[in-house]
Amino acid sequence: GAGVSQSPSNKVTEKGKDVELRCDPISGHTALYWYRQSLGQGLEFLIYFQGNSAPDKSGLPSDRFSAERTGGSVSTLTIQRTQQEDSAVYLCASRPGLAGGETQYFGPGTRLLVL
Amino acid sequence: AQTVTQSQPEMSVQEAETVTLSCTYDTSENNYYLFWYKQPPSRQMILVIRQEAYKQQNATENRFSVNFQKAAKSFSLKISDSQLGDTAMYFCAFMKRGTTSGTYKYIFGTGTRLKVLA
């Protein structure tokens, strides 16, 4: 079956512009995670959706970052008024959900470059 | 707070040789999961192997195996018969339960860049 997909693959934007990054999880996966990976660094947790529960937003670095997940499937990460320090790879991962499946499956990421 | 430490930023190994990547973690929990992920230059994170903390037997997946020492909170990855395609960034990850029942969060180490030499 299809894996996690993300779009766009690469995004170049100017400082101050808003960007939207999209994630399509594996069908049936109820848990969805967003991470940020700066150049040569590990993964920084941003936000976590689990079913219909309120998302865990504890990793969002500022109020310029927001995310939503419509219909329990596709998720969009929005960065408003982008800054150069937002340049990074943004990874999305999904997981089967509460009943089991502790393994996350990752998408290929979106590389964001803010000029 | 839980932490995951990978103390080797970079390593190299000759093709066909064996290499071990180290990972230590800190937690007060008793039940958890540990993972090794591989991230090649293509950027796609791929699961290499996982270990349930309640299982004493070390996980093995073909050429990849772990040495899980629960008391020492150590979770090293051994790659046998290294291949050029093993060249990648390797991340160790710890899964912990979230504050809401049934939720899980993951903490990643900073990674080890492995280069397999021909």
Side-chain angles (χ1 to χ4, degrees), chain B residues 21-83:
Chain B
L21 309 183
S22 67
C23 173
T24 58
Y25 58 95
D26 185 27
T27 184
S28 57
E29 298 185 18
N30 193 44
N31 293 320
Y32 48 88
Y33 289 78
L34 294 161
F35 304 84
W36 278 99
Y37 280 91
K38 167 186 176 180
Q39 187 180 41
S42 67
R43 211 167 65 202
Q44 178 76 57
M45 291 277 281
I46 303 165
L47 176 69
V48 175
I49 200 166
R50 67 175 233 173
Q51 174 82 42
E52 294 94 326
Y54 63 86
K55 289 187 177 180
Q56 291 185 334
Q57 185 173 6
N58 289 323
T60 299
E61 287 287 341
N62 301 314
R63 298 183 295 106
F64 299 88
S65 62
V66 298
N67 183 5
F68 174 48
Q69 302 289 329
K70 190 173 183 179
K73 297 178 183 175
S74 172
F75 182 61
S76 60
L77 174 69
K78 185 172 83 171
I79 306 174
S80 304
D81 185 26
S82 298
Q83 300 176 0

Side-chain angles (χ1 to χ4, degrees), chain A residues 39-77:
Chain A
L39 186 62
Q41 300 298 309
L43 275 68
E44 175 190 3
F45 166 76
L46 296 178
I47 189 168
Y48 163 35
F49 296 89
Q50 174 65 63
N52 295 321
S53 303
D56 180 340
K57 305 179 181 181
S58 60
L60 294 178
S62 77
D63 59 7
R64 296 186 297 104
F65 288 73
S66 63
E68 61 179 24
R69 189 179 184 192
T70 53
S73 181
V74 172
S75 177
T76 302
L77 176 69

Side-chain angles (χ1 to χ4, degrees), chain A residues 9-10 33 35 37 40-43 45 48 50 56 58 89 91 95 97-98 101-111, chain B residues 33 35 37 39 41-47 50 52 89 91 95 99-111 113:
Chain A
S9 179
N10 295 281
Y33 301 77
Y35 296 91
Q37 184 178 24
Q41 300 298 309
L43 275 68
F45 166 76
Y48 163 35
Q50 174 65 63
D56 180 340
S58 60
V89 173
L91 293 168
R95 187 175 61 79
L98 298 178
E102 294 75 20
T103 300
Q104 292 184 106
Y105 298 88
F106 283 84
T110 293
R111 183 181 300 280
Chain B
Y33 289 78
F35 304 84
Y37 280 91
Q39 187 180 41
S42 67
R43 211 167 65 202
Q44 178 76 57
M45 291 277 281
I46 303 165
L47 176 69
R50 67 175 233 173
E52 294 94 326
M89 195 79 165
F91 291 97
M95 188 201 82
T99 53
T100 303
S101 175
T103 63
Y104 304 100
K105 291 177 69 172
Y106 300 78
I107 300 171
F108 287 80
T110 52
R113 187 175 303 280

